[in-house]
Amino acid sequence: MRILSTTFLVSAAIASSALAQGNAAPFTVAETGQGFASIGDALAAIGDRRGTVVVAPGTYHQCGVQQGGDVTIRAATPGTVIFDGVPCEGKGALVLRGQASTVDGIIFQNIRVPDGNGAGIRLESGNLIVRNSLFRNSEEGILTGDYDGGQVAIDKSTFRKLGRCDRDLDCAHGIYIGRLATLSVTNSRFDQGDGGHYLKTRTARVAISGNSFDDSGGKLTNYMIDLSNGATGTITGNEMVQGKDKDNWSAFITVAPEGREHSSAGLVIEGNKAGFVPGLARGSTFVANFTDDAVKIGANELAPSMKVKDRR
């Protein structure tokens, strides 16, 4: 199974963890050169305009809210910036409700809130691009609201030790994208889930390719990919390994298990590899379709004990 390495991100973060304390203005607005002590003040300085916040190496026990504009939040050196343990508005380390947002090279960790949906990024409006980032040891990595036209693109990022289904609350997931227009997830890694689904989306269209879903260290997890209300698009070139400790091991990918809102007749699932950890063989299903839509399931490399599809 392909392993997308986060060694650089983790080692760089350890090396730089103390540096934030020595920089009084670690958040710099690139367009003006002005420095700020907090991410919130830097975002407020950009306001409704377009701008980039460059973050100096360090571990930051703070959070920020974007109220408008088109903002990029970028680590000066990828993997040297950690937002640790502090959510804004009881939601997430970054709460984004501008026109557009880009997050690049940042680590989010230890985010928890009373309602069980503490996220590294909480997206409430606009489009989002996430690159080269690591989400770990939190209730959710990325969580969005529901709104028309939103587009989310995630590339070269890792989602580790996320999710939960306890405390009589709704489950949290590694990624949970609401009723937006599109979701793209490429070249990313999901592993060691702590409950819920690794990737859950209600978008009408998806492009999920070149990712690694490694559930070998998961605890009480569910599906790898949950298309909650159906979707068109592609799921291609992904590698998936199901572990032993599952809350629900009945399927790897589900189509509209929570009701059909979008046609899935244009969905193509091919070129994927799916199996189980060594010593495990069970009658799981690769694609469980809860609709009569004619999902195209092409050639995939599946474990012998696995069913290709079923209608539920």
Side-chain angles (χ1 to χ4, degrees):
M1 179 172 185
R2 179 177 61 249
I3 303 296
L4 299 179
S5 175
T6 55
T7 301
F8 171 73
L9 287 176
V10 174
S11 60
I14 292 171
S16 66
S17 61
L19 296 181
Q21 307 304 319
N23 187 346
F27 302 93
T28 301
V29 176
E31 291 74 14
T32 65
Q34 188 175 8
F36 297 89
S38 75
I39 182 64
D41 288 344
L43 292 170
I46 294 172
D48 291 330
R49 302 185 304 277
R50 175 178 291 181
T52 298
V53 179
V54 180
V55 187
T59 298
Y60 299 94
H61 300 284
Q62 57 174 277
C63 58
V65 179
Q66 176 195 3
Q67 299 284 11
D70 181 344
V71 175
T72 295
I73 303 168
R74 175 172 57 84
T77 303
T80 65
V81 172
I82 300 175
F83 285 96
D84 184 10
V86 178
C88 280
E89 300 180 347
K91 297 174 180 177
L94 293 179
V95 180
L96 307 175
R97 44 176 174 257
Q99 298 170 357
S101 313
T102 299
V103 176
D104 194 343
I106 294 177
I107 297 171
F108 300 87
Q109 65 186 30
N110 303 324
I111 308 299
R112 294 173 177 82
V113 299
D115 72 1
N117 285 306
I121 295 175
R122 179 74 170 264
L123 178 68
E124 298 187 343
S125 67
N127 299 331
L128 173 65
I129 297 172
V130 176
R131 305 188 194 99
N132 306 312
S133 294
L134 170 62
F135 301 79
R136 64 187 178 193
N137 302 325
S138 300
E139 289 163 329
E140 304 204 60
I142 300 171
L143 172 63
T144 83
D146 298 331
Y147 53 89
D148 293 337
Q151 301 180 23
V152 174
I154 300 163
D155 186 48
K156 296 178 181 175
S157 295
T158 296
F159 299 83
R160 175 168 295 152
K161 288 188 175 294
L162 303 169
R164 40 142 297 279
C165 278
D166 58 6
R167 291 184 283 158
D168 296 322
L169 301 170
D170 290 340
C171 292
H173 313 280
I175 293 176
Y176 185 0
I177 308 299
R179 290 175 174 86
L180 308 187
T182 65
L183 170 65
S184 170
V185 184
T186 53
N187 307 309
S188 294
R189 179 176 175 85
F190 299 79
D191 62 24
Q192 301 178 58
D194 283 331
H197 309 309
Y198 282 93
L199 194 168
K200 177 183 176 76
T201 179
R202 300 184 187 275
T203 55
R205 187 165 184 85
V206 297
I208 303 169
S209 66
N211 304 292
S212 170
F213 295 83
D214 182 1
D215 185 46
S216 58
K219 298 177 181 178
L220 298 175
T221 53
N222 289 286
Y223 309 133
M224 306 290 189
I225 299 172
D226 176 53
L227 308 180
S228 301
N229 304 118
T232 56
T234 56
I235 299 176
T236 59
N238 303 286
E239 297 185 4
M240 307 177 186
V241 172
Q242 190 182 97
K244 296 181 179 180
D245 189 357
K246 303 289 291 181
D247 182 56
N248 185 343
W249 51 262
S250 67
F252 282 61
I253 300 169
T254 55
V255 179
E258 297 182 32
R260 181 185 184 276
E261 296 181 12
H262 316 296
S263 171
S264 300
L267 179 65
V268 177
I269 303 174
E270 64 184 9
N272 303 285
K273 181 178 180 180
F276 306 100
V277 293
L280 179 65
R282 55 162 66 120
S284 184
T285 297
F286 183 51
V287 180
N289 191 348
F290 290 72
T291 77
D292 292 323
D293 294 339
V295 174
K296 179 183 176 182
I297 303 176
N300 298 280
E301 184 180 343
L302 307 181
S305 64
M306 192 186 308
K307 292 190 293 184
V308 175
K309 62 181 179 179
D310 62 28
R311 171 67 168 89
R312 299 190 180 179

